[in-house]
Amino acid sequence: MPAPRLHLPSGSAARDGFDLVVTPESAGWGFSSLRTLTLPAGGSHRFATGEEELLVLPLSGSARVEVDGRVLELAGRRSVFEGVSDFAYVGRDSELTISSAAGGVFSFPGARATRRLPFRYGAAADVPVELRGAGQCSRQVNNFATPDAFETDKLIACEVLTPAANWSSYPPHRHDRTSELESELEEVYYFAFRSQAPAGTLGTEPGLGYQRVYGEADRPVDVLAEVRSGDVVLVPHGWHGPSIASPSHDMYYLNVMAGPADERAWRICDDPAHGWVRATWQDQPVDPRLPFYAAPAGA
């Protein structure tokens, strides 16, 4: 059986009405998943979660989510660069229907789960927004479903926004072993970009960045991918980073993680060849372009 591809260009993993389908089976691992879906105005889509717990996270637009006769209304957002979104949690062994009056693009970060937790709402106002790094390693992280922010069974998810020309997911780090210092977590990166070109500029390109993943002698992996909006990079193990935004485009990525441990934790180890860079941030300001937007009132 051929090894799964680790860079999935936009559209290459579309099926069953979804723009993107990454399952544990298609990724060749045990837990993490991601789907994305574009709905036209008035459109709807129904599907079963099976063994996976899912979040319904609007990337653009608003939505109505129905599970077991209960309905949650998601206000959503205009784009990932213009605000934090509210979201819905859907447990395993559920049937969900998503619909959108005005249309939009929606993501479904997921993980193979053991427990079936209740269908419920995640408020945008409760999403912790933090700034990490400094200087050209500055980025914004929306911790909407990290362990301290929102309860799930296995799933960990967050959003990272990186100003044009900055390096993110840096220093390179890993989380592929279970120890006091590290969690074993598979990871999905889903990318989107926003142009910084002045209005009316001709010949602007839809955006690009670069993602690096590399392993060790006993667990090799080697990815250097030019990524564009809608692309995915899978990280089964190994060091990952940097994620580099081109000077012309701001970069967004959605991170989806899950693993086998009973404890739902997100612990990482830096590549010792690069971890020293963290000490240099103490004398550098955070990029003044951040935050892209303030945390919602009440966060």
Side-chain angles (χ1 to χ4, degrees), residues 1-6 22-32 112 186 219 234-237:
M1 183 175 183
R5 290 178 298 154
L6 299 182
V22 174
T23 65
E25 293 77 15
S26 70
W29 57 32
F31 295 91
S32 300
R112 182 169 284 142
E186 312 146 350
R219 301 186 78 188
L234 306 179
V235 184
H237 57 265

Side-chain angles (χ1 to χ4, degrees), residues 9-115:
S10 178
S12 65
R15 63 182 172 91
D16 302 329
F18 292 96
D19 304 324
L20 167 73
V21 178
V22 174
T23 65
E25 293 77 15
S26 70
W29 57 32
F31 295 91
S32 300
S33 68
L34 178 64
R35 295 166 175 81
T36 64
L37 174 71
T38 299
L39 287 178
S44 67
H45 191 86
R46 181 176 178 84
F47 67 101
T49 63
E51 296 180 333
E52 298 174 31
E53 58 182 350
L54 300 175
L55 301 176
V56 182
L57 176 71
L59 301 178
S60 65
S62 59
R64 181 181 189 269
V65 182
E66 181 177 354
V67 174
D68 297 333
R70 287 189 56 215
V71 172
L72 293 177
E73 298 285 348
L74 303 182
R77 53 190 165 183
R78 289 197 299 178
S79 85
V80 296
F81 293 100
E82 297 180 63
V84 176
S85 182
D86 53 356
F87 59 95
Y89 173 89
V90 183
R92 59 166 291 164
D93 302 315
S94 300
E95 293 271 345
L96 80 87
T97 300
I98 179 172
S99 57
S100 178
V105 181
F106 306 94
S107 68
F108 304 87
R112 182 169 284 142
T114 302
R115 296 180 297 154

Side-chain angles (χ1 to χ4, degrees), residues 10 53 92 102 131 136 141 155 157 168 176 200 203 221 230 242 244 259 285 290:
S10 178
E53 58 182 350
R92 59 166 291 164
L131 303 184
Q136 282 193 282
V141 184
L155 176 63
S168 197
D176 60 13
V221 61
I244 306 172
L290 293 175

Side-chain angles (χ1 to χ4, degrees), residues 7-14 19-20 36 190-191 227-232:
H7 174 214
L8 305 176
S10 178
S12 65
D19 304 324
L20 167 73
T36 64
Y190 170 87
F191 292 89
V227 290
R228 300 171 186 272
S229 289
D231 282 15
V232 160

Side-chain angles (χ1 to χ4, degrees), residues 129-131 139-140 142 163 286-295:
V129 175
E130 66 172 313
L131 303 184
R139 60 270 201 186
Q140 175 178 333
N142 302 335
V286 173
D287 191 313
R289 293 173 291 179
L290 293 175
F292 279 103
Y293 41 79

